[in-house]
PDB file of all heavy atoms in Angstrom:
ATOM      1  N   ALA A 191     107.329  98.319  97.191  1.00 97.00           N
ATOM      2  CA  ALA A 191     105.996  98.444  97.783  1.00 97.00           C
ATOM      3  C   ALA A 191     106.080  99.050  99.181  1.00 97.00           C
ATOM      4  O   ALA A 191     105.243  99.877  99.564  1.00 97.00           O
ATOM      5  CB  ALA A 191     105.316  97.076  97.830  1.00 97.00           C
ATOM      6  N   SER A 192     107.112  98.656  99.933  1.00 97.00           N
ATOM      7  CA  SER A 192     107.288  99.211 101.276  1.00 97.00           C
ATOM      8  C   SER A 192     107.552 100.718 101.213  1.00 97.00           C
ATOM      9  O   SER A 192     107.051 101.482 102.041  1.00 97.00           O
ATOM     10  CB  SER A 192     108.438  98.507 101.988  1.00 97.00           C
ATOM     11  OG  SER A 192     108.133  97.143 102.222  1.00 97.00           O
ATOM     12  N   ARG A 193     108.327 101.145 100.229  1.00 96.00           N
ATOM     13  CA  ARG A 193     108.585 102.578 100.074  1.00 96.00           C
ATOM     14  C   ARG A 193     107.300 103.329  99.747  1.00 96.00           C
ATOM     15  O   ARG A 193     107.069 104.429 100.265  1.00 96.00           O
ATOM     16  CB  ARG A 193     109.616 102.810  98.964  1.00 96.00           C
ATOM     17  CG  ARG A 193     110.973 102.220  99.257  1.00 96.00           C
ATOM     18  CD  ARG A 193     111.921 102.395  98.073  1.00 96.00           C
ATOM     19  NE  ARG A 193     113.055 101.481  98.158  1.00 96.00           N
ATOM     20  CZ  ARG A 193     114.021 101.397  97.262  1.00 96.00           C
ATOM     21  NH1 ARG A 193     113.987 102.200  96.197  1.00 96.00           N
ATOM     22  NH2 ARG A 193     115.012 100.540  97.404  1.00 96.00           N
ATOM     23  N   LEU A 194     106.467 102.728  98.895  1.00 97.00           N
ATOM     24  CA  LEU A 194     105.202 103.373  98.545  1.00 97.00           C
ATOM     25  C   LEU A 194     104.292 103.517  99.760  1.00 97.00           C
ATOM     26  O   LEU A 194     103.598 104.526  99.922  1.00 97.00           O
ATOM     27  CB  LEU A 194     104.491 102.568  97.447  1.00 97.00           C
ATOM     28  CG  LEU A 194     105.182 102.524  96.080  1.00 97.00           C
ATOM     29  CD1 LEU A 194     104.383 101.642  95.119  1.00 97.00           C
ATOM     30  CD2 LEU A 194     105.365 103.918  95.498  1.00 97.00           C
ATOM     31  N   VAL A 195     104.302 102.510 100.628  1.00 97.00           N
ATOM     32  CA  VAL A 195     103.504 102.584 101.860  1.00 97.00           C
ATOM     33  C   VAL A 195     104.019 103.717 102.743  1.00 97.00           C
ATOM     34  O   VAL A 195     103.239 104.512 103.283  1.00 97.00           O
ATOM     35  CB  VAL A 195     103.551 101.244 102.620  1.00 97.00           C
ATOM     36  CG1 VAL A 195     102.883 101.392 103.998  1.00 97.00           C
ATOM     37  CG2 VAL A 195     102.853 100.140 101.826  1.00 97.00           C
ATOM     38  N   ARG A 196     105.345 103.806 102.904  1.00 96.00           N
ATOM     39  CA  ARG A 196     105.929 104.846 103.760  1.00 96.00           C
ATOM     40  C   ARG A 196     105.637 106.248 103.239  1.00 96.00           C
ATOM     41  O   ARG A 196     105.519 107.195 104.017  1.00 96.00           O
ATOM     42  CB  ARG A 196     107.448 104.650 103.867  1.00 96.00           C
ATOM     43  CG  ARG A 196     107.842 103.391 104.609  1.00 96.00           C
ATOM     44  CD  ARG A 196     109.348 103.167 104.619  1.00 96.00           C
ATOM     45  NE  ARG A 196     109.619 101.768 104.915  1.00 96.00           N
ATOM     46  CZ  ARG A 196     110.429 100.990 104.217  1.00 96.00           C
ATOM     47  NH1 ARG A 196     111.081 101.495 103.164  1.00 96.00           N
ATOM     48  NH2 ARG A 196     110.613  99.728 104.554  1.00 96.00           N
ATOM     49  N   LYS A 197     105.505 106.373 101.922  1.00 95.00           N
ATOM     50  CA  LYS A 197     105.197 107.676 101.318  1.00 95.00           C
ATOM     51  C   LYS A 197     103.694 107.975 101.360  1.00 95.00           C
ATOM     52  O   LYS A 197     103.261 109.052 100.963  1.00 95.00           O
ATOM     53  CB  LYS A 197     105.677 107.717  99.865  1.00 95.00           C
ATOM     54  CG  LYS A 197     107.176 107.551  99.684  1.00 95.00           C
ATOM     55  CD  LYS A 197     107.542 107.519  98.207  1.00 95.00           C
ATOM     56  CE  LYS A 197     108.942 106.994  97.961  1.00 95.00           C
ATOM     57  NZ  LYS A 197     109.985 107.800  98.580  1.00 95.00           N
ATOM     58  N   GLY A 198     102.903 106.996 101.815  1.00 96.00           N
ATOM     59  CA  GLY A 198     101.463 107.184 101.873  1.00 96.00           C
ATOM     60  C   GLY A 198     100.775 107.077 100.526  1.00 96.00           C
ATOM     61  O   GLY A 198      99.635 107.528 100.362  1.00 96.00           O
ATOM     62  N   LEU A 199     101.434 106.441  99.550  1.00 97.00           N
ATOM     63  CA  LEU A 199     100.881 106.355  98.194  1.00 97.00           C
ATOM     64  C   LEU A 199      99.989 105.137  98.009  1.00 97.00           C
ATOM     65  O   LEU A 199      99.148 105.117  97.110  1.00 97.00           O
ATOM     66  CB  LEU A 199     102.015 106.334  97.160  1.00 97.00           C
ATOM     67  CG  LEU A 199     102.901 107.587  97.151  1.00 97.00           C
ATOM     68  CD1 LEU A 199     104.054 107.435  96.170  1.00 97.00           C
ATOM     69  CD2 LEU A 199     102.056 108.821  96.785  1.00 97.00           C
ATOM     70  N   ILE A 200     100.211 104.093  98.808  1.00 98.00           N
ATOM     71  CA  ILE A 200      99.336 102.913  98.795  1.00 98.00           C
ATOM     72  C   ILE A 200      99.152 102.434 100.227  1.00 98.00           C
ATOM     73  O   ILE A 200      99.909 102.807 101.124  1.00 98.00           O
ATOM     74  CB  ILE A 200      99.914 101.762  97.926  1.00 98.00           C
ATOM     75  CG1 ILE A 200     101.247 101.267  98.490  1.00 98.00           C
ATOM     76  CG2 ILE A 200     100.060 102.191  96.476  1.00 98.00           C
ATOM     77  CD1 ILE A 200     101.796 100.025  97.785  1.00 98.00           C
ATOM     78  N   THR A 201      98.148 101.591 100.429  1.00 98.00           N
ATOM     79  CA  THR A 201      97.933 101.012 101.744  1.00 98.00           C
ATOM     80  C   THR A 201      98.768  99.745 101.904  1.00 98.00           C
ATOM     81  O   THR A 201      99.293  99.204 100.922  1.00 98.00           O
ATOM     82  CB  THR A 201      96.451 100.638 101.944  1.00 98.00           C
ATOM     83  OG1 THR A 201      96.108  99.572 101.027  1.00 98.00           O
ATOM     84  CG2 THR A 201      95.548 101.841 101.702  1.00 98.00           C
ATOM     85  N   ARG A 202      98.849  99.259 103.110  1.00 98.00           N
ATOM     86  CA  ARG A 202      99.589  98.019 103.332  1.00 98.00           C
ATOM     87  C   ARG A 202      98.925  96.854 102.610  1.00 98.00           C
ATOM     88  O   ARG A 202      99.603  95.993 102.042  1.00 98.00           O
ATOM     89  CB  ARG A 202      99.702  97.721 104.828  1.00 98.00           C
ATOM     90  CG  ARG A 202     100.672  96.580 105.126  1.00 98.00           C
ATOM     91  CD  ARG A 202     100.737  96.186 106.590  1.00 98.00           C
ATOM     92  NE  ARG A 202     101.813  95.232 106.780  1.00 98.00           N
ATOM     93  CZ  ARG A 202     101.759  93.946 106.455  1.00 98.00           C
ATOM     94  NH1 ARG A 202     100.640  93.451 105.906  1.00 98.00           N
ATOM     95  NH2 ARG A 202     102.784  93.132 106.649  1.00 98.00           N
ATOM     96  N   ASP A 203      97.604  96.795 102.628  1.00 97.00           N
ATOM     97  CA  ASP A 203      96.897  95.723 101.931  1.00 97.00           C
ATOM     98  C   ASP A 203      97.190  95.746 100.435  1.00 97.00           C
ATOM     99  O   ASP A 203      97.353  94.690  99.807  1.00 97.00           O
ATOM    100  CB  ASP A 203      95.379  95.848 102.156  1.00 97.00           C
ATOM    101  CG  ASP A 203      94.969  95.458 103.576  1.00 97.00           C
ATOM    102  OD1 ASP A 203      95.780  94.808 104.269  1.00 97.00           O
ATOM    103  OD2 ASP A 203      93.845  95.814 103.984  1.00 97.00           O
ATOM    104  N   GLU A 204      97.251  96.932  99.861  1.00 98.00           N
ATOM    105  CA  GLU A 204      97.592  97.042  98.436  1.00 98.00           C
ATOM    106  C   GLU A 204      99.026  96.575  98.184  1.00 98.00           C
ATOM    107  O   GLU A 204      99.318  95.933  97.164  1.00 98.00           O
ATOM    108  CB  GLU A 204      97.416  98.494  97.974  1.00 98.00           C
ATOM    109  CG  GLU A 204      95.959  98.930  97.905  1.00 98.00           C
ATOM    110  CD  GLU A 204      95.807 100.418  97.664  1.00 98.00           C
ATOM    111  OE1 GLU A 204      96.678 101.189  98.115  1.00 98.00           O
ATOM    112  OE2 GLU A 204      94.816 100.814  97.013  1.00 98.00           O
ATOM    113  N   ALA A 205      99.911  96.883  99.123  1.00 98.00           N
ATOM    114  CA  ALA A 205     101.304  96.452  98.994  1.00 98.00           C
ATOM    115  C   ALA A 205     101.403  94.929  99.021  1.00 98.00           C
ATOM    116  O   ALA A 205     102.165  94.334  98.246  1.00 98.00           O
ATOM    117  CB  ALA A 205     102.145  97.058 100.114  1.00 98.00           C
ATOM    118  N   VAL A 206     100.651  94.291  99.903  1.00 98.00           N
ATOM    119  CA  VAL A 206     100.664  92.822  99.986  1.00 98.00           C
ATOM    120  C   VAL A 206     100.269  92.210  98.649  1.00 98.00           C
ATOM    121  O   VAL A 206     100.899  91.257  98.156  1.00 98.00           O
ATOM    122  CB  VAL A 206      99.732  92.333 101.111  1.00 98.00           C
ATOM    123  CG1 VAL A 206      99.517  90.814 101.015  1.00 98.00           C
ATOM    124  CG2 VAL A 206     100.294  92.691 102.482  1.00 98.00           C
ATOM    125  N   LYS A 207      99.246  92.744  98.020  1.00 97.00           N
ATOM    126  CA  LYS A 207      98.779  92.206  96.731  1.00 97.00           C
ATOM    127  C   LYS A 207      99.844  92.357  95.650  1.00 97.00           C
ATOM    128  O   LYS A 207     100.053  91.447  94.845  1.00 97.00           O
ATOM    129  CB  LYS A 207      97.486  92.913  96.311  1.00 97.00           C
ATOM    130  CG  LYS A 207      96.290  92.570  97.194  1.00 97.00           C
ATOM    131  CD  LYS A 207      95.053  93.363  96.773  1.00 97.00           C
ATOM    132  CE  LYS A 207      93.874  93.042  97.690  1.00 97.00           C
ATOM    133  NZ  LYS A 207      92.656  93.837  97.323  1.00 97.00           N
ATOM    134  N   LEU A 208     100.524  93.495  95.641  1.00 97.00           N
ATOM    135  CA  LEU A 208     101.587  93.712  94.665  1.00 97.00           C
ATOM    136  C   LEU A 208     102.743  92.740  94.886  1.00 97.00           C
ATOM    137  O   LEU A 208     103.284  92.164  93.932  1.00 97.00           O
ATOM    138  CB  LEU A 208     102.105  95.149  94.761  1.00 97.00           C
ATOM    139  CG  LEU A 208     101.186  96.241  94.221  1.00 97.00           C
ATOM    140  CD1 LEU A 208     101.728  97.613  94.579  1.00 97.00           C
ATOM    141  CD2 LEU A 208     101.041  96.119  92.703  1.00 97.00           C
ATOM    142  N   VAL A 209     103.108  92.546  96.139  1.00 97.00           N
ATOM    143  CA  VAL A 209     104.216  91.643  96.462  1.00 97.00           C
ATOM    144  C   VAL A 209     103.886  90.211  96.066  1.00 97.00           C
ATOM    145  O   VAL A 209     104.721  89.500  95.485  1.00 97.00           O
ATOM    146  CB  VAL A 209     104.551  91.733  97.966  1.00 97.00           C
ATOM    147  CG1 VAL A 209     105.484  90.594  98.380  1.00 97.00           C
ATOM    148  CG2 VAL A 209     105.186  93.077  98.294  1.00 97.00           C
ATOM    149  N   GLU A 210     102.673  89.760  96.370  1.00 97.00           N
ATOM    150  CA  GLU A 210     102.297  88.384  96.056  1.00 97.00           C
ATOM    151  C   GLU A 210     102.203  88.136  94.557  1.00 97.00           C
ATOM    152  O   GLU A 210     102.392  87.014  94.089  1.00 97.00           O
ATOM    153  CB  GLU A 210     100.973  88.038  96.745  1.00 97.00           C
ATOM    154  CG  GLU A 210     101.112  87.991  98.267  1.00 97.00           C
ATOM    155  CD  GLU A 210      99.828  87.569  98.970  1.00 97.00           C
ATOM    156  OE1 GLU A 210      98.785  87.435  98.281  1.00 97.00           O
ATOM    157  OE2 GLU A 210      99.860  87.389 100.197  1.00 97.00           O
ATOM    158  N   LYS A 211     101.970  89.186  93.798  1.00 96.00           N
ATOM    159  CA  LYS A 211     101.894  89.057  92.348  1.00 96.00           C
ATOM    160  C   LYS A 211     103.268  89.130  91.689  1.00 96.00           C
ATOM    161  O   LYS A 211     103.520  88.456  90.673  1.00 96.00           O
ATOM    162  CB  LYS A 211     100.996  90.163  91.789  1.00 96.00           C
ATOM    163  CG  LYS A 211     100.856  90.147  90.272  1.00 96.00           C
ATOM    164  CD  LYS A 211      99.967  91.293  89.795  1.00 96.00           C
ATOM    165  CE  LYS A 211      99.844  91.281  88.268  1.00 96.00           C
ATOM    166  NZ  LYS A 211      99.008  92.416  87.785  1.00 96.00           N
ATOM    167  N   LYS A 212     104.180  89.912  92.270  1.00 97.00           N
ATOM    168  CA  LYS A 212     105.412  90.249  91.578  1.00 97.00           C
ATOM    169  C   LYS A 212     106.682  89.602  92.139  1.00 97.00           C
ATOM    170  O   LYS A 212     107.582  89.233  91.370  1.00 97.00           O
ATOM    171  CB  LYS A 212     105.605  91.771  91.596  1.00 97.00           C
ATOM    172  CG  LYS A 212     104.561  92.547  90.807  1.00 97.00           C
ATOM    173  CD  LYS A 212     104.833  92.451  89.317  1.00 97.00           C
ATOM    174  CE  LYS A 212     103.947  93.350  88.503  1.00 97.00           C
ATOM    175  NZ  LYS A 212     104.266  93.307  87.058  1.00 97.00           N
ATOM    176  N   ASP A 213     106.809  89.520  93.441  1.00 96.00           N
ATOM    177  CA  ASP A 213     108.112  89.262  94.042  1.00 96.00           C
ATOM    178  C   ASP A 213     108.777  87.957  93.583  1.00 96.00           C
ATOM    179  O   ASP A 213     109.971  87.919  93.302  1.00 96.00           O
ATOM    180  CB  ASP A 213     107.987  89.254  95.568  1.00 96.00           C
ATOM    181  CG  ASP A 213     108.983  90.194  96.222  1.00 96.00           C
ATOM    182  OD1 ASP A 213     109.691  90.918  95.509  1.00 96.00           O
ATOM    183  OD2 ASP A 213     109.059  90.213  97.461  1.00 96.00           O
ATOM    184  N   TYR A 214     108.021  86.901  93.517  1.00 95.00           N
ATOM    185  CA  TYR A 214     108.592  85.585  93.194  1.00 95.00           C
ATOM    186  C   TYR A 214     108.867  85.423  91.708  1.00 95.00           C
ATOM    187  O   TYR A 214     109.685  84.593  91.293  1.00 95.00           O
ATOM    188  CB  TYR A 214     107.607  84.482  93.613  1.00 95.00           C
ATOM    189  CG  TYR A 214     106.419  84.356  92.689  1.00 95.00           C
ATOM    190  CD1 TYR A 214     106.412  83.412  91.665  1.00 95.00           C
ATOM    191  CD2 TYR A 214     105.316  85.213  92.804  1.00 95.00           C
ATOM    192  CE1 TYR A 214     105.332  83.311  90.785  1.00 95.00           C
ATOM    193  CE2 TYR A 214     104.254  85.118  91.935  1.00 95.00           C
ATOM    194  CZ  TYR A 214     104.259  84.164  90.937  1.00 95.00           C
ATOM    195  OH  TYR A 214     103.199  84.079  90.061  1.00 95.00           O
ATOM    196  N   ASN A 215     108.204  86.233  90.872  1.00 94.00           N
ATOM    197  CA  ASN A 215     108.049  85.967  89.448  1.00 94.00           C
ATOM    198  C   ASN A 215     109.186  86.548  88.617  1.00 94.00           C
ATOM    199  O   ASN A 215     109.000  87.477  87.840  1.00 94.00           O
ATOM    200  CB  ASN A 215     106.696  86.546  88.990  1.00 94.00           C
ATOM    201  CG  ASN A 215     106.281  86.036  87.634  1.00 94.00           C
ATOM    202  OD1 ASN A 215     106.771  85.016  87.154  1.00 94.00           O
ATOM    203  ND2 ASN A 215     105.356  86.748  87.014  1.00 94.00           N
ATOM    204  N   VAL A 216     110.394  85.998  88.763  1.00 95.00           N
ATOM    205  CA  VAL A 216     111.553  86.548  88.070  1.00 95.00           C
ATOM    206  C   VAL A 216     111.356  86.478  86.559  1.00 95.00           C
ATOM    207  O   VAL A 216     110.928  85.461  86.013  1.00 95.00           O
ATOM    208  CB  VAL A 216     112.849  85.817  88.481  1.00 95.00           C
ATOM    209  CG1 VAL A 216     112.811  84.349  88.136  1.00 95.00           C
ATOM    210  CG2 VAL A 216     114.071  86.493  87.855  1.00 95.00           C
TER     211      VAL A 216
END
């Protein structure tokens, strides 16, 4: 998600939502 933000493909707020949905959920 951080890479996508740096590339300008998503906003930081969008990245936060993706992280909260995905990161913990092995």
Side-chain angles (χ1 to χ4, degrees):
S192 294
R193 297 176 198 179
L194 294 178
V195 172
R196 293 176 200 130
K197 298 176 195 299
L199 298 176
I200 63 173
T201 66
R202 190 184 188 283
D203 287 344
E204 290 171 329
V206 168
K207 291 177 182 178
L208 287 171
V209 168
E210 293 183 353
K211 179 181 179 181
K212 294 283 188 177
D213 233 5
Y214 75 96
N215 194 19
V216 61

